[in-house]
Amino acid sequence: MNLAMFIQHMLNSLTLGSLYALVAIGYTMVYGILRLINFAHSEMFMLGAYFVFWGITLGHLPWPVAMAIAIAVTATLGVIVDQVAYRPLRDAPRISALISSIGVSFFLQNVAIVFFQAIPREVYRPKWLEDPIITHGVRILPLTLFVPLLSLALMLVLIWIVYRTKAGLGMRAISKDIETSYLMGVPVNRIIALTFGIGTALAAASGIMWALRYPQLQPIMGTIPGFKAFIAAVFGGIGSIPGAVIGGLALGFIEIMTVAFFPDLAGYRDAFAFVLLILVLMVKPTGLLGERLEDKV
Amino acid sequence: MRKMMLLCLALVFAFANTALCADDTIKIGVFLPLTGQNAFGGQLELEGVQMAAKENPTVLGKKIELFVVDNKSDKVESANAVKRLIEKEKVQAIIGTYGSSLAMAGGEVSEKAGIPQVGTSCTNPLVTQGKKYIFRVCFIDPYQGAGAATYAYKTLGLKTAAMLVDVANDYSVGLSKYFNKSFTKLGGKVVSTLNYQSGDQDFTAQLTKIISEKPDVLFIPSYFAEGAIIMKQAKELGATFKIMGGDAMDNPEITAIGGSAVEGFVHTTFPYDPSMKNMTPMAKKFTEGWKAAYPDKEPNVNAALGYDAYMIILDAITRAGKADPESIAKALAATKGFQGVTGATTINETHDAEKPVGLVIIKDGKKVYEGEITPEL
């Protein structure tokens, strides 16, 4: 393997990893506040992507406008899902909400199959994304630089929201003890709705990025990135925003390098992701940057 | 006494039931992937079957009733789907399916129950191997793989090849095996074989490796959804080699999704394409019928095979003069020179269809039917 090839592999893993990271941030956010693994996240990811490309092909909107609208619409949808499927179960055992989220996930997937049909759709990409920058035999896709920067920016914004704003204070309070927060006058439902709004907006944003990188829309497109991002979130420490970013990048790196160094095992790289998950759960159940378990119960 | 009466009653009902069934309808089951990974192929095939059923709703003066079950692109669901068609709907024959893995899972159930099954586009040799009741209207992978290899080596003069194979898919593994065999036998060399798994969307690692090996041609026995993405990523990574594939890449959406990345892509397929110059009367009729029924959608070979699968069962029932599963199977096995949309079809002793291998090239963003090739096995 020569240097150019190694750098190419590194860039490939950076692209894949930061996409995982972007999805994982949304997962981890909802989990951090509500202790709920929201499986419907994958479907919000898919819907976000569809909405953008609808906006562009049917609505003839310019890129940034279509993206903003799609993210807003998906975020609203996320809030509605919370109201309908999770809020009535707030006092029920945690497993009920988890099962409800699996139900929502299947429901949305099937609705998408009915409305969008199962045939993959094309994605129109802006011209500047299509042309790679070539230096010394290494090909850099503009997206390769764009997505990690976006992930980093979003991470910083989220950390600012969580640690520097009043709503963030509420989120942290709810994550510690939801009942006491009620008693202390925290507008719990409003803050949870906000959390879902932000989490879903992130899912939509990552769905759009994903569709730009792997230009194809399918009703089931969210499932595999969703699983991978979940693994990434657990690996980094679910509930931790920097953890999600590190987990995502690590997973992307492992997947690409598995293929680069052990080409014969290329077909089984998903297995490596799951082995990683099991190992992490065995050795350090809270993940790399996870909080101590005592806080969560 | 009471027990006897109940027994009598039960018997009467049982007979009445079978009598009702045999009366005036012939039941044909269809199991296809309408959701999941392979839904894009399954839906086109279903539309083909439904179009054939609409045009030919009766045989032997009896009405034909279609029962459609979704196998969800899943091997277990596939077996369940066939079980349901046989046990609950009591069908006399079954059409399906897209996807060799799915056909094998469903075929076992059909074989045990003795219900004839006609595969649409399941091309793996194992689908019909040692089976008495399983048939298909498509040719098999050795034939197709050899066709692609012959075209690459002899017609295009390409000497080294790489392959990117879906290890979770019997079709992909089979096709790559036979391409390899033929290409090597002709004198070519396969320089690298890399794998992926159905549902993967990132192929950059494999492609970076393949590009460094500098093959003349990359053979991707993929399904269309993955194939289009592979070609896009290959182009982004600067690949300049020729790319070839099999019949699973035959989908009208390919140029829309692949864009400029699929330019020059060649795939083997069954001898039908709407861009074909010398169409048989059947193909012409099918194309015109399709354009009337779906004005905004191009027909493709999957739709044509769905159509043919229905028609070949009808042909068998007509020749048998009755519609019990045993006679249908016997008549199917004796099919000779059946004029279908995808050319003249003869069912051989292994229950596979014998027909030429077609080649389609993508030129200027359009699918162009290039002609047929005789593979060197």
Side-chain angles (χ1 to χ4, degrees):
Chain A
M1 185 180 299
N2 59 27
L3 188 65
M5 209 172 138
F6 181 73
I7 294 170
Q8 186 73 63
H9 278 306
M10 285 302 281
L11 285 170
N12 293 343
S13 40
L14 183 66
T15 318
L16 184 64
S18 46
L19 279 168
Y20 285 153
L22 207 53
V23 192
I25 294 175
Y27 252 112
T28 233
M29 176 105 192
V30 171
Y31 182 85
I33 313 298
L34 283 180
R35 301 288 179 267
L36 164 69
I37 294 163
N38 180 17
F39 279 105
H41 201 72
S42 313
E43 274 56 53
M44 294 300 171
F45 170 97
M46 173 264 297
L47 288 173
Y50 266 102
F51 289 154
V52 167
F53 297 100
W54 268 5
I56 292 165
T57 52
L58 301 180
H60 302 290
L61 297 168
W63 266 95
V65 182
M67 244 163 117
I69 294 176
I71 291 175
V73 171
T74 321
T76 318
L77 213 64
V79 175
I80 294 170
V81 166
D82 169 51
Q83 302 284 315
V84 175
Y86 306 141
R87 198 167 156 185
L89 297 169
R90 212 76 90 202
D91 303 321
R94 216 156 267 158
I95 189 90
S96 309
L98 180 81
I99 292 166
S100 179
S101 88
I102 295 173
V104 171
S105 165
F106 278 121
F107 174 74
L108 290 175
Q109 212 175 80
N110 283 291
V111 167
I113 288 171
V114 172
F115 277 106
F116 310 147
Q117 294 184 310
I119 293 175
R121 302 279 169 210
E122 68 266 35
V123 166
Y124 296 99
R125 299 196 285 187
K127 197 86 203 100
W128 60 272
L129 270 175
E130 299 243 283
D131 305 321
I133 307 154
I134 309 165
T135 46
H136 302 93
V138 179
R139 298 171 77 92
I140 308 165
L141 217 63
L143 212 62
T144 310
L145 308 172
F146 186 54
V147 179
L149 289 176
L150 184 75
S151 301
L152 190 72
L154 286 174
M155 186 183 94
L156 294 176
V157 170
L158 280 179
I159 289 176
W160 178 77
I161 291 177
V162 173
Y163 289 98
R164 290 280 178 277
T165 65
K166 212 169 168 186
L169 186 66
M171 286 176 189
R172 279 180 290 144
I174 292 168
S175 79
K176 293 280 180 219
D177 188 337
I178 191 163
E179 271 152 37
T180 316
S181 307
Y182 266 120
L183 296 174
M184 304 301 266
V186 177
V188 172
N189 283 322
R190 230 186 305 155
I191 287 183
I192 290 176
L194 178 72
T195 310
F196 265 93
I198 297 175
T200 315
L202 284 168
S206 47
I208 297 161
M209 291 298 136
W210 188 277
L212 288 175
R213 179 75 186 97
Y214 308 112
Q216 205 170 66
L217 298 175
Q218 282 184 68
I220 51 163
M221 65 184 277
T223 315
I224 287 177
F227 271 127
K228 296 280 180 66
F230 175 64
I231 292 172
V234 173
F235 179 62
I238 192 153
S240 153
I241 291 167
V245 173
I246 292 171
L249 289 174
L251 191 64
F253 181 78
I254 290 170
E255 279 195 10
I256 297 283
M257 292 305 168
T258 306
V259 181
F261 287 99
F262 312 100
D264 292 343
L265 300 174
Y268 310 101
R269 69 182 193 188
D270 288 5
F272 283 88
F274 288 103
V275 167
L276 175 75
L277 178 71
I278 293 166
L279 285 179
V280 169
L281 290 177
M282 277 163 62
V283 178
K284 195 169 184 299
T286 54
L288 290 179
L289 303 182
E291 305 159 43
R292 280 174 298 123
L293 265 182
E294 290 84 51
D295 283 341
K296 296 193 174 170
V297 190
Chain B
M1 192 60 203
R2 212 184 138 91
K3 245 184 201 163
M4 278 294 278
M5 262 176 72
L6 273 175
L7 196 72
C8 283
L9 219 62
L11 276 174
V12 166
F13 271 117
F15 279 111
N17 202 17
T18 48
L20 269 178
C21 285
D23 225 356
D24 51 351
T25 58
I26 292 170
K27 297 178 168 188
I28 297 182
V30 181
F31 78 117
L32 285 168
L34 303 177
T35 57
Q37 212 81 50
N38 307 337
F40 45 87
Q43 280 189 347
L44 281 162
E45 286 180 3
L46 178 63
E47 278 158 351
V49 173
Q50 282 170 336
M51 201 176 115
K54 213 170 174 186
E55 289 177 5
N56 309 277
T58 56
V59 66
L60 304 177
K62 290 177 187 169
K63 224 178 137 273
I64 296 173
E65 217 179 325
L66 276 188
F67 292 89
V68 182
V69 180
D70 177 14
N71 65 34
K72 300 179 186 161
S73 312
D74 183 280
K75 295 181 198 180
V76 178
E77 287 292 339
S78 202
N80 288 341
V82 174
K83 203 168 252 170
R84 198 177 123 196
L85 285 172
I86 294 171
E87 286 171 7
K88 188 160 163 271
E89 317 291 4
K90 311 247 182 301
V91 297
Q92 279 112 304
I94 295 173
I95 298 171
T97 173
Y98 182 97
S100 295
S101 314
L102 305 173
M104 283 181 220
E108 292 296 336
V109 182
S110 233
E111 179 75 11
K112 263 191 203 127
I115 303 292
Q117 184 173 317
V118 178
T120 42
S121 60
C122 36
T123 48
N124 193 297
L126 294 173
V127 173
T128 55
Q129 202 174 65
K131 299 274 196 299
K132 203 176 152 210
Y133 295 97
I134 315 295
F135 306 85
R136 56 182 143 199
V137 286
C138 52
F139 52 60
I140 53 175
D141 289 338
Y143 209 63
Q144 185 178 189
T150 310
Y151 183 76
Y153 191 85
K154 290 228 151 153
T155 313
L156 301 177
L158 306 168
K159 304 286 183 249
T160 53
M163 302 193 290
L164 189 50
V165 186
D166 179 354
V167 282
N169 183 337
D170 298 333
Y171 162 79
S172 190
V173 173
L175 207 49
S176 67
K177 195 172 115 198
Y178 298 111
F179 177 87
N180 190 347
K181 208 168 152 191
S182 247
F183 196 72
T184 318
K185 207 173 151 201
L186 285 165
K189 192 166 180 277
V190 175
V191 289
S192 86
T193 305
L194 284 172
N195 301 329
Y196 68 93
Q197 220 177 53
S198 319
D200 278 0
Q201 292 194 302
D202 185 284
F203 306 95
T204 51
Q206 288 96 324
L207 288 168
T208 303
K209 177 114 188 15
I210 289 172
I211 289 168
S212 75
E213 314 257 0
K214 299 194 173 61
D216 294 335
V217 57
L218 171 64
F219 185 61
I220 44 168
S222 319
Y223 279 177
F224 138 83
E226 281 124 10
I229 291 201
I230 291 175
M231 283 189 267
K232 278 219 151 179
Q233 287 177 10
K235 199 191 165 212
E236 280 165 11
L237 289 167
T240 50
F241 42 66
K242 185 108 195 144
I243 303 182
M244 290 184 69
D247 67 288
M249 294 296 288
D250 195 327
N251 190 301
E253 300 274 324
I254 186 163
T255 48
I257 292 188
S260 60
V262 297
E263 194 62 35
F265 173 68
V266 180
H267 67 81
T268 51
T269 189
F270 305 94
Y272 170 77
D273 194 83
S275 73
M276 203 162 178
K277 285 203 185 73
N278 314 313
M279 264 192 203
T280 61
M282 265 307 272
K284 207 172 242 162
K285 184 173 162 253
F286 169 78
T287 313
E288 278 158 14
W290 180 279
K291 287 200 169 135
Y294 308 100
D296 52 346
K297 207 154 68 173
E298 281 270 291
N300 89 327
V301 79
N302 292 106
L305 285 170
Y307 191 93
D308 279 357
Y310 181 89
M311 295 308 285
I312 213 167
I313 292 177
L314 242 60
D315 174 64
I317 294 175
T318 317
R319 276 187 290 113
K322 50 195 168 185
D324 61 292
E326 202 61 46
S327 323
I328 298 178
K330 233 179 234 148
L332 275 172
T335 303
K336 292 260 173 324
F338 163 76
Q339 290 297 329
V341 178
T342 56
T345 305
T346 294
I347 300 289
N348 65 15
E349 66 276 8
T350 51
H351 290 189
D352 309 316
E354 280 180 359
K355 52 179 83 175
V357 176
L359 284 160
V360 169
I361 296 182
I362 292 169
K363 267 186 202 147
D364 304 319
K366 278 202 186 68
K367 276 172 50 174
V368 180
Y369 191 79
E370 180 75 6
E372 279 118 45
I373 191 157
T374 314
E376 294 192 18
L377 291 157

